[in-house]
Amino acid sequence: MRSFLSIRNTLCAFAFSAAVFSAANAGAADSSDAIKAADAAEPVFSAVSGIKDPHGGKAVLFFDHTKRFDLNILAEFLKDCSNYEGVKCFCADISGADKKELSSFFSSYETKDCIYKASSTENAPYALFVKEGRPAGLISKDGSFASLTPVYLSYLAGKTDENKLSEMLDAAEKGENYKKIVPRMNFVLMLAKKGETEAAINEMDKVNAAELDDKGKLLLGQTYLRLKAAERAYSVFSACQNSIECVLYSGVAAYLKGDSDKALEILNGIKDRYEDQDKLNYYLKKIYESQGDNAHAEEIRLPENYNTGSE
């Protein structure tokens, strides 16, 4: 049998309940302290401070203008803010620079009225989100500004409610977890290539599948398949919530762990839903052939020299 065992290498609030307070925010300044710091901040280009206004939605980025990383976060923050009407965004510099220096540095900014001078802190950069005077969330300097900021801004703008906010934060966090495991996968595959399969599997076992979205679970399961750990792969694929690709590969894993009848049940169950019929039929044909069921195997027609791309 050709290399059927080879599978393709494929390679995100603190709010009104503990469930909404994402682990991604751990280490950020306490929300009450952040609100006090924001209220105490002084505008650089305006005589009137709007940052103390408790009404509506408010987002405050605490940053250090002397650090390139913070300036990148600032640029993305302002870009995100421009997409949400009704949300007041402020940028509080914590570098310790005086207003004259800040005024000179930000003089060319179109949105310079948002620049404020705040007390120094080691927690920056971090972002505070407040709605009607109540803390809606914090993103710490170790958090994902790119994925979380739009989620909070959407809530502040009234586009999502508290329940949706929680769902979106959970989805964003799991999406970030997916990105974090990719380097681990590469390390694992390197171990496997060196013949250290057991060490590779042990490394994979450190990944908590429950913290991943379906995309992450698919990657995790496929990596287990590459390591010929079919039982683990089947368990991971079966934990997916809404991925027909996971269903397909759960069938593949079922076959590889020795349960060809279960594999056929799974694969035949998605015949009307799986888009790549040739790919599905390829696996079905292989399983029928392995069972000696030539009648069903011969009924399946595949393009000449077809393979799934994982050969």
Side-chain angles (χ1 to χ4, degrees):
M1 186 172 72
R2 292 165 63 191
S3 181
F4 182 43
L5 300 180
S6 177
I7 306 298
R8 78 176 64 180
N9 181 19
T10 60
L11 300 146
C12 263
F14 183 94
F16 308 100
S17 70
V20 179
F21 182 31
S22 167
N25 298 325
D30 179 81
S31 60
S32 60
D33 290 339
I35 290 177
K36 291 177 182 178
D39 288 346
E42 304 173 15
V44 174
F45 293 94
S46 174
V48 179
S49 176
I51 203 169
K52 296 181 181 180
D53 187 352
H55 303 296
K58 172 173 63 179
V60 184
L61 174 68
F62 291 85
F63 73 104
D64 184 338
H65 81 282
T66 67
K67 297 180 179 180
R68 179 175 296 180
F69 174 77
D70 290 34
L71 290 177
N72 289 335
I73 296 295
L74 173 65
E76 290 300 317
F77 179 76
L78 293 173
K79 180 179 178 180
D80 287 335
C81 284
S82 68
N83 294 324
Y84 295 89
E85 294 183 5
V87 180
K88 294 166 289 188
C89 291
F90 303 94
C91 308
D93 181 83
I94 53 81
S95 67
D98 57 30
K99 288 186 178 181
K100 183 178 181 180
E101 180 180 339
L102 293 176
S103 178
S104 175
F105 188 88
F106 292 104
S107 60
S108 63
Y109 272 58
E110 293 182 4
T111 54
K112 60 186 180 183
D113 286 346
C114 78
I115 303 298
Y116 278 62
K117 170 180 166 55
S119 300
S120 297
T121 175
E122 296 180 353
N123 291 314
Y126 71 94
L128 166 70
F129 302 88
V130 181
K131 189 169 187 177
E132 300 299 339
R134 298 174 61 190
L138 279 169
I139 304 176
S140 76
K141 62 182 177 182
D142 297 320
S144 175
F145 292 87
S147 60
L148 291 175
T149 300
V151 174
Y152 284 122
L153 291 175
S154 178
Y155 171 69
L156 297 185
K159 296 182 179 295
T160 54
D161 58 18
E162 295 172 21
N163 291 330
K164 187 64 175 178
L165 170 64
S166 178
E167 294 176 7
M168 293 173 67
L169 288 172
D170 183 61
E173 182 177 348
K174 288 181 176 178
E176 285 304 304
N177 286 336
Y178 164 77
K179 296 177 184 178
K180 293 175 183 177
I181 69 170
V182 171
R184 183 187 295 272
M185 302 301 184
N186 294 335
F187 173 63
V188 164
L189 294 175
M190 180 192 71
L191 288 175
K193 188 174 182 179
K194 293 168 59 178
E196 301 177 29
T197 304
E198 185 175 349
I201 292 175
N202 289 337
E203 190 68 23
M204 292 301 306
D205 289 344
K206 297 176 184 179
V207 178
N208 186 352
E211 295 179 352
L212 301 174
D213 58 6
D214 283 356
K215 184 179 180 181
K217 291 186 179 75
L218 180 62
L219 172 59
L220 180 61
Q222 288 176 325
T223 306
Y224 273 129
L225 283 182
R226 289 171 63 85
L227 299 173
K228 300 183 181 180
E231 286 278 1
R232 288 175 170 86
Y234 181 79
S235 177
V236 172
F237 290 133
S238 299
C240 288
Q241 296 181 337
N242 190 32
S243 169
I244 194 168
E245 200 72 17
C246 276
V247 177
L248 173 85
Y249 281 108
S250 70
V252 174
Y255 168 74
L256 294 176
K257 72 185 186 74
D259 194 344
S260 58
D261 289 337
K262 183 63 175 180
L264 289 173
E265 177 187 338
I266 293 172
L267 297 182
N268 280 315
I270 60 172
K271 268 188 171 181
D272 297 331
R273 297 186 291 132
Y274 194 74
E275 185 174 342
D276 190 342
Q277 288 291 300
D278 287 337
K279 182 177 179 181
L280 176 62
N281 285 331
Y282 172 85
Y283 289 125
L284 283 169
K285 188 176 183 70
K286 290 293 185 182
I287 297 172
Y288 283 129
E289 289 176 344
S290 73
Q291 291 184 326
D293 189 345
N294 294 323
H296 279 99
E298 291 175 1
E299 289 177 358
I300 298 175
R301 294 289 182 263
L302 293 170
E304 187 176 356
N305 298 321
Y306 177 82
N307 65 65
T308 66
S310 56
E311 296 295 312

